[in-house]
Amino acid sequence: MTANTETPGPVAAKLAWPCTEDVVLRDAIIEAYEASLPRRLTLVLAPAGYGKSCVTAKTLQRMSQAAAWYNLDLLDRDPVMLLMGITHALRTLLPDFGGAFLERLRTAAQMPMPIAEMAAAFTHECAARCTTDTYLVLDDYHKTADASGLNNTLDHLLAYAPPTLHFVVLSRYEPEFSTAKLKLDDQTGTIGGDLLRLEPSQAGVMLERRTGRIWSARDLERLIDLTEGWPASVVLAAMALDWLDLDSIESALADPRLKGDMYSYLAEQVYERENESTRSFLKRTCCLETITAGLARRLTDPKHADRHLEHLSRNRVFTFSAEQEGTYRYHTLFREFLRLKCLSESGQLAFHALQCETASALEAAGDTEMAVELLLSANEPIRALDVIADAGEPGLEKSPSSRLEDWLDRLPPDSRANEAWANLLAAQLHMRSGHFDSALARIEKAISRMDDELDLYHALSMKECTYFWKGDIEKAAITCRDALLHAQNDEQRIHSLISLGAAALEMRDWERADEAFAQADSLLGPTGGNESHRIQAHRAYASYSRGDFRLTQQQLQLVEDSSLAKPIQAAVMNFRSMVELHLGNIEAATTHSAEALSLTETFGLANIRASVLDTCALAHASKGGYGRAIELLLKVTSATSARTDPSVYAMTLSNIGTTLRRQGDMAAALPYYRLASETVTRQRDPYAFLNCLVNLTFAEASLGKREGLSLLSLASQAAEAGLQFVELKATFFDAALAHRDGKADEALLTLSTCIPRQLQLGHLNFLAQEFALDQELLVTYLSQAPWDTPREAVLRCVAGHWRGPSVLASLVTDCPPEAAQHILAFAVEELAGDAQRETLRSARASKDKTLRRRARIFLTGVKSRAANPASPLPQLTPRELHVLSLMAAGLDNRAIATDLVISTTTVKTHINRIFMKLGVTSRVQAILAYQTAKPERSAHDDGAQARTAHPNQAHDPPEV
């Protein structure tokens, strides 16, 4: 008798593959499937509408894999029906697969057969017939996930099927069958919903196919943002654009007909499939943006809240893990659906009550932002302001400016104008944007409407902060003392004492600062809390102000930035960058200044942004990017927050002068130094005042003006004030001037007193920049015997300069033999590659001038291209490149000397070095090399372009 093995009609319908016409795959999806499919089991787990079926089918087709498809349903809870169905599925690949097995299943009712025996018979048939890789796809597993008989059967198949049979299970839920052993054997791969979310490019292709139109990148990004890349919603949007003839993504997503389709899908495929208890939980938590177990317990049955959350997340009921551990969120559209469901079923009053109840739970949990958001959405502005008041100034500091602006805009006009905390909210925004007088006016208006001591404390604390950022430090200190009188607890007293100490630091009153910090310390508990990090940061700043950068770095390592309020966090991050700049760690400084800048942009901290931009500019200058540095510094001088703070403005002007000076344009630097010295007073900021005056005195003396204060006198004043960086800078500059005057012995004596201290304190970038600029002084310093530790340390500083290899190359030739050998030894170990090191080591031990000359040529080129990739002739210094450009313009040596304000002897020295570095012997050959390279933007040209772009500012500094 021939077995009846024709596929029954109901089973045949379950073998159909999904339509893949509109599926758009991206490389990451294909790569994930390629990595997973060779394993025994591939799980594709995602919520409804994520395209599990279509994407899997499309990928298998694209990979040309032999695959059978089977759609599970409630009938497959019976293992016999499951085995019959997957046998028919495999027959689509192997036509005579399992004929005898199917006949045995058909007669199972008359001749009972244990399920284990049936499963064994099936695996035996698979072992005989599936001789090459075969894929069995089980779709919609979630429909049968709780069927123990089915899961037991799948356990057997996964354990005993031949290795050539691979299972692909598609489900909304985690499987109930066993996967532990397969995972241990690395035989399980998972494709999750995150990977199946659509990207803008995929949505663009899909929409173009549907509508025949190409949509802008902005529209597509907006679509993905609103739908979170949920494929079903993107398909519905495409259908709406096509069927409803809508002209934009926004109109499609706002169209009630489309939302009706989406919500119907969510109701049918998600919400209605849950039991009544879970649906109640979903509605009670629908007002939350993010959900924690604690919040869920406050709003729902505390006994079952954790179980509900675990169920929703595990089974992917449009519930996802949020960024913070233990926190969940609903899909945006699902949350909106739940809110409308709650509103329609419970009514407006009940939904309003749920909003207020949720806001109270959020406030109790410490989430002020979301509590305020929810109360404003519930049209409860006064209650929202009460929440803001309860959080106080620290609560406002946690929120970005965009959110604060949104809150203010959503308040009724009367509340916005008259409520005390609405005025403080506006004051916070004015302060951040650098409009300090407007902020102070709003604070005074708020104070006039307050009678509560706690509110008065917060208002005065904000007033002190405004004065501080404005640069009016004396008034900041006075307001701190007023705030202390209204402080209600030790935490507030500690906060105000630290602010008082910070104000004293700004005025370089070390004793008052130490006294304030000591009082704050005495009030701190055993753990210290966040304020202990703030004290530590200010103590580090005190060390920085005194010029001890190494100690500052050690103290900053104890500061945990994440514990600080965002404005302080940005300031500390910028402070770290400043310290790293001084210590010569330019890359780390660049990274930290970029992070600080990002914080100021995210939170709208224009009051801090000026200082951060100043640091970014110094980092650029330290790498030879003078033009970019000047561009940023000029931008700072135009900022309101910089102009209102005399210290910040003076230091920025002084930094412009130093950048121009180090670029080689002392005449252009002078007016900036002069204006900087006139901007700040000694009483306001001794550090900025003396620092600017030292820079001005050095510049004037370099240009021939020697009247007035001497650098050593300024060094003495800085020493008395405890400002070691300024003291030692003035001393170093005095040595540089003495050397230029031909007093080499005097210069060496001065350097021998200041350099060891500068190295000990970490003034490394200063030494690198100044010695790279004044190489004759460096040669004199390094040429003195004996060769000692400070000289080695100075050489290391200079090697870290962006022109370090070129400077080292010059030193090898210009220094006497003994010093040259030390320099060459250092360069060989630090800069040479393995292939060159042996040759250079022999040069190091030789006194042969030719060999040393070859070593110098090597050092000229090594790493210079990496140090200055923008330069067309990177082996030349900026000054040499400038000399070469003047030669190419037709100027003779005398004209070049006049143009650069140097002697003709120095011009000849530069030209000889240019010849040697370029490997030429005549002016014509050098000019030809220059013209061939077509220099567009060397370090010197960079600055020249910046001055051309700002002609008035470069030579006539802006008025204060």
Side-chain angles (χ1 to χ4, degrees):
M1 181 179 67
T2 305
N4 180 11
T5 56
E6 291 184 4
T7 304
V11 174
K14 296 166 67 175
L15 308 182
W17 283 60
C19 177
T20 60
E21 182 181 352
D22 287 336
V23 177
V24 181
L25 300 177
R26 65 179 189 275
D27 291 343
I29 292 177
I30 297 171
E31 290 169 2
Y33 274 91
E34 286 177 341
S36 182
L37 287 175
R39 295 179 168 89
R40 168 53 64 91
L41 173 65
T42 295
L43 295 171
V44 184
L45 306 176
Y50 268 73
K52 300 181 291 292
S53 304
C54 296
V55 170
T56 301
K58 182 79 169 184
T59 306
L60 287 168
Q61 291 167 0
R62 175 166 178 152
M63 295 170 63
S64 300
Q65 298 290 0
W69 199 279
Y70 186 67
N71 296 282
L72 296 167
D73 62 19
L74 293 177
L75 295 176
D76 294 298
R77 298 169 69 87
D78 180 352
V80 176
M81 295 302 297
L82 170 70
L83 290 169
M84 181 181 293
I86 60 178
T87 300
H88 280 292
L90 287 171
R91 288 172 68 84
T92 61
L93 295 176
L94 306 167
D96 55 349
F97 178 88
F101 178 67
L102 285 175
E103 180 62 23
R104 181 67 184 86
L105 289 178
R106 192 175 64 81
T107 60
Q110 292 78 27
M111 300 174 60
M113 182 180 182
I115 295 301
E117 187 177 334
M118 291 183 186
F122 176 83
T123 56
H124 179 75
E125 180 73 6
C126 291
R129 300 303 314 281
C130 299
T131 56
T132 60
D133 283 335
T134 305
Y135 296 86
L136 176 60
V137 182
L138 302 178
D139 199 357
D140 287 338
Y141 166 81
H142 50 270
K143 294 180 180 179
T144 58
D146 60 344
S148 59
L150 174 140
N151 287 317
N152 290 336
T153 302
L154 287 177
D155 281 337
H156 182 94
L157 299 184
L158 287 165
Y160 297 107
T164 52
L165 183 60
H166 307 273
F167 294 82
V168 183
V169 177
L170 281 54
S171 175
R172 297 178 190 175
Y173 311 149
E174 289 283 347
E176 295 291 333
F177 54 81
S178 177
T179 60
K181 187 175 186 305
L182 291 174
K183 288 179 178 177
L184 284 174
D185 295 338
D186 194 27
Q187 285 299 308
T188 300
T190 301
I191 310 295
D194 287 342
L195 191 64
L196 297 177
R197 284 192 177 98
L198 294 182
E199 292 185 344
S201 59
Q202 292 172 282
V205 174
M206 187 180 298
L207 289 173
E208 185 179 352
R209 289 176 181 174
R210 286 276 184 176
T211 66
R213 288 177 283 176
I214 298 176
W215 299 88
S216 70
R218 182 175 176 275
D219 279 343
L220 294 172
E221 288 173 2
R222 177 66 173 153
L223 173 65
I224 296 302
D225 182 54
L226 291 171
T227 63
E228 298 189 33
W230 178 30
S233 62
V234 175
V235 171
L236 288 170
M239 293 166 62
L241 290 165
D242 188 20
W243 298 343
L244 306 177
D245 195 26
L246 299 171
D247 61 353
S248 72
I249 297 291
E250 292 286 350
S251 61
L253 292 171
D255 192 288
R257 292 167 291 183
L258 174 62
K259 287 201 170 182
D261 287 342
M262 288 185 182
Y263 294 161
S264 296
Y265 186 95
L266 288 168
E268 177 185 345
Q269 296 292 326
V270 182
Y271 183 75
E272 297 298 341
R273 292 174 181 263
E274 300 299 324
N275 60 37
E276 181 58 36
S277 176
T278 304
R279 291 200 295 267
S280 175
F281 178 89
L282 287 168
K283 287 186 290 187
R284 287 289 298 170
T285 55
C286 69
C287 291
L288 292 168
E289 298 291 323
T290 56
I291 311 165
T292 63
L295 284 170
R297 292 188 204 108
R298 291 177 184 271
L299 294 168
T300 66
D301 182 356
K303 294 181 180 179
H304 300 109
D306 294 60
R307 178 174 59 81
H308 282 306
L309 264 181
E310 194 276 335
H311 163 78
L312 292 170
S313 176
R314 184 175 184 274
N315 293 321
R316 294 170 177 79
V317 187
F318 277 76
T319 305
F320 311 107
S321 294
E323 292 181 3
Q324 189 173 350
E325 187 176 355
T327 305
Y328 304 88
R329 66 176 184 85
Y330 298 138
H331 187 286
T332 305
L333 294 173
F334 188 49
R335 184 170 62 244
E336 186 177 343
F337 160 78
L338 291 174
R339 290 175 181 178
L340 288 174
K341 193 76 174 173
C342 184
L343 184 61
S344 63
E345 291 182 354
S346 304
Q348 179 65 50
L349 289 177
F351 184 69
H352 180 269
L354 177 62
Q355 287 178 303
C356 295
E357 188 179 347
T358 304
S360 297
L362 286 164
E363 184 180 12
D367 194 343
T368 301
E369 280 191 6
M370 296 316 302
V372 173
E373 284 285 335
L374 201 50
L375 288 169
L376 289 174
S377 298
N379 196 25
E380 292 283 354
I382 301 303
R383 290 183 65 174
L385 286 172
D386 288 342
V387 172
I388 292 173
D390 290 341
E393 183 193 12
L396 291 179
E397 288 180 339
K398 294 178 181 177
S399 300
S401 294
S402 57
R403 189 180 291 276
L404 299 184
E405 288 170 358
D406 180 60
W407 290 353
L408 196 62
D409 290 342
R410 290 160 67 185
L411 292 173
D414 183 63
S415 298
R416 195 158 54 233
N418 298 313
E419 291 291 335
W421 273 94
N423 277 282
L424 290 183
L425 180 58
Q428 176 76 204
L429 287 166
H430 286 309
M431 178 182 66
R432 290 187 184 186
S433 62
H435 298 96
F436 302 116
D437 290 337
S438 299
L440 290 168
R442 284 283 202 159
I443 293 170
E444 292 298 341
K445 188 173 183 180
I447 289 174
S448 69
R449 287 165 167 73
M450 287 177 172
D451 52 16
D452 181 81
E453 286 291 301
L454 181 58
D455 286 344
L456 281 170
Y457 168 79
H458 286 302
L460 289 168
S461 182
M462 193 181 298
K463 183 178 179 181
E464 168 273 316
C465 190
T466 306
Y467 276 129
F468 185 90
W469 289 113
K470 183 182 179 182
D472 196 335
I473 305 302
E474 289 184 0
K475 287 186 178 178
I478 292 169
T479 310
C480 272
R481 296 188 186 94
D482 290 343
L484 279 168
L485 297 176
H486 295 276
Q488 300 298 293
N489 52 49
D490 283 348
E491 183 180 357
Q492 292 169 0
R493 294 183 188 93
I494 291 167
H495 183 85
S496 292
L497 283 168
I498 296 172
S499 297
L500 188 62
L505 280 183
E506 286 296 312
M507 293 184 285
R508 318 304 167 185
D509 190 335
W510 317 117
E511 291 183 5
R512 283 175 55 195
D514 289 340
E515 180 184 346
F517 293 149
Q519 290 182 47
D521 268 334
S522 68
L523 296 175
L524 282 170
T527 58
N530 294 343
E531 292 292 358
S532 64
H533 292 284
R534 190 164 163 244
I535 290 180
Q536 185 65 27
H538 283 301
R539 283 187 167 135
Y541 183 68
S543 299
Y544 175 86
S545 300
R546 290 181 168 113
D548 193 338
F549 305 137
R550 293 193 189 275
L551 176 59
T552 303
Q553 187 179 50
Q554 294 173 13
Q555 291 172 322
L556 279 176
Q557 290 174 354
L558 303 177
V559 178
E560 188 178 305
D561 293 2
S562 60
S563 69
L564 304 171
K566 293 302 178 182
I568 301 174
Q569 190 174 331
V572 170
M573 191 70 71
N574 184 53
F575 180 29
R576 289 185 188 277
S577 181
M578 293 160 60
V579 174
E580 284 157 347
L581 273 178
H582 281 294
L583 293 173
N585 195 348
I586 310 302
E587 291 308 316
T590 302
T591 299
H592 280 131
S593 62
E595 291 174 356
L597 190 61
S598 177
L599 273 177
T600 65
E601 291 170 349
T602 301
F603 282 83
L605 307 173
N607 52 334
I608 302 173
R609 184 179 172 83
S611 295
V612 177
L613 283 175
D614 187 278
T615 308
C616 291
L618 296 182
H620 279 290
S622 294
K623 294 186 288 188
Y626 298 126
R628 177 60 175 157
I630 292 172
E631 179 185 338
L632 289 174
L633 291 168
L634 289 171
K635 189 174 183 179
V636 173
T637 61
S638 64
T640 303
S641 57
R643 284 177 171 269
T644 55
D645 188 329
S647 293
V648 172
Y649 194 57
M651 290 300 292
T652 301
L653 291 170
S654 189
N655 287 336
I656 294 175
T658 298
T659 304
L660 289 168
R661 175 176 66 79
R662 287 178 176 167
Q663 187 183 315
D665 201 340
M666 186 74 79
L670 188 61
Y672 282 99
Y673 283 145
R674 187 171 291 125
L675 182 55
S677 300
E678 296 168 356
T679 299
V680 66
T681 64
R682 181 166 187 164
Q683 181 181 7
R684 164 63 184 84
D685 188 342
Y687 180 94
F689 174 78
L690 289 171
N691 187 64
C692 293
L693 205 53
V694 166
N695 287 335
L696 173 62
T697 303
F698 178 61
E700 288 180 336
S702 298
L703 293 173
K705 182 180 178 182
R706 298 298 182 99
E707 302 86 13
L709 290 170
S710 73
L711 285 166
L712 289 180
S713 171
L714 291 172
S716 176
Q717 294 179 49
E720 290 176 8
L723 306 173
Q724 297 179 92
F725 178 76
V726 181
E727 172 203 349
L728 296 172
K729 174 199 274 192
T731 305
F732 183 95
F733 283 162
D734 185 73
L737 291 175
H739 188 267
R740 292 177 195 176
D741 291 341
K743 303 174 183 177
D745 291 341
E746 180 182 328
L748 279 171
L749 181 62
T750 304
L751 291 177
S752 66
T753 63
C754 71
I755 286 181
R757 287 181 60 199
Q758 288 174 303
L759 292 169
Q760 181 183 10
L761 295 170
H763 303 180
L764 309 184
N765 193 35
F766 172 81
L767 291 174
Q769 299 292 334
E770 296 303 327
F771 270 134
L773 188 65
D774 193 345
Q775 292 182 34
E776 293 179 356
L777 178 63
L778 178 60
V779 167
T780 299
Y781 177 72
L782 295 178
S783 297
Q784 300 304 302
W787 184 264
D788 53 14
T789 300
R791 287 176 173 77
E792 178 82 18
V794 166
L795 194 61
R796 192 170 298 280
C797 289
V798 173
H801 188 269
W802 63 275
R803 289 196 294 110
S806 177
V807 174
L808 292 178
S810 299
L811 293 174
V812 171
T813 295
D814 295 345
C815 286
E818 182 180 351
Q821 288 184 23
H822 284 289
I823 296 165
L824 185 55
F826 172 85
V828 167
E829 298 304 323
E830 294 291 322
L831 304 177
D834 293 337
Q836 300 152 320
R837 191 165 287 132
E838 286 304 317
T839 301
L840 293 170
R841 281 173 178 165
S842 64
R844 176 186 66 188
S846 173
K847 295 184 179 181
D848 181 80
K849 292 183 178 179
T850 302
L851 192 57
R852 285 173 52 203
R853 182 173 179 274
R854 288 176 182 170
R856 180 176 183 268
I857 292 172
F858 157 73
L859 289 170
T860 298
V862 71
K863 288 192 174 181
S864 58
R865 192 167 300 278
N868 187 18
S871 175
L873 297 171
Q875 65 269 46
L876 301 185
T877 66
R879 174 51 65 92
E880 290 165 354
L881 194 57
H882 194 192
V883 169
L884 182 54
S885 69
L886 296 176
M887 289 165 57
L891 276 65
D892 60 19
N893 289 3
R894 187 183 299 278
I896 293 172
T898 302
D899 186 84
L900 296 181
V901 197
I902 56 179
S903 69
T904 54
T905 302
T906 303
V907 173
K908 290 179 182 179
T909 301
H910 284 309
I911 292 175
N912 288 333
R913 288 177 175 173
I914 291 169
F915 286 0
M916 184 165 54
K917 289 181 180 182
L918 296 182
V920 300
T921 56
S922 70
R923 294 174 75 99
V924 173
Q925 291 174 329
I927 292 169
L928 181 61
Y930 175 82
Q931 292 172 338
T932 302
K934 294 181 180 179
E936 295 176 357
R937 200 171 184 182
S938 69
H940 182 278
D941 296 332
D942 194 23
Q945 289 180 7
R947 292 197 300 278
T948 302
H950 305 275
N952 294 329
Q953 291 170 306
H955 297 287
D956 300 306
E959 295 180 3
V960 180

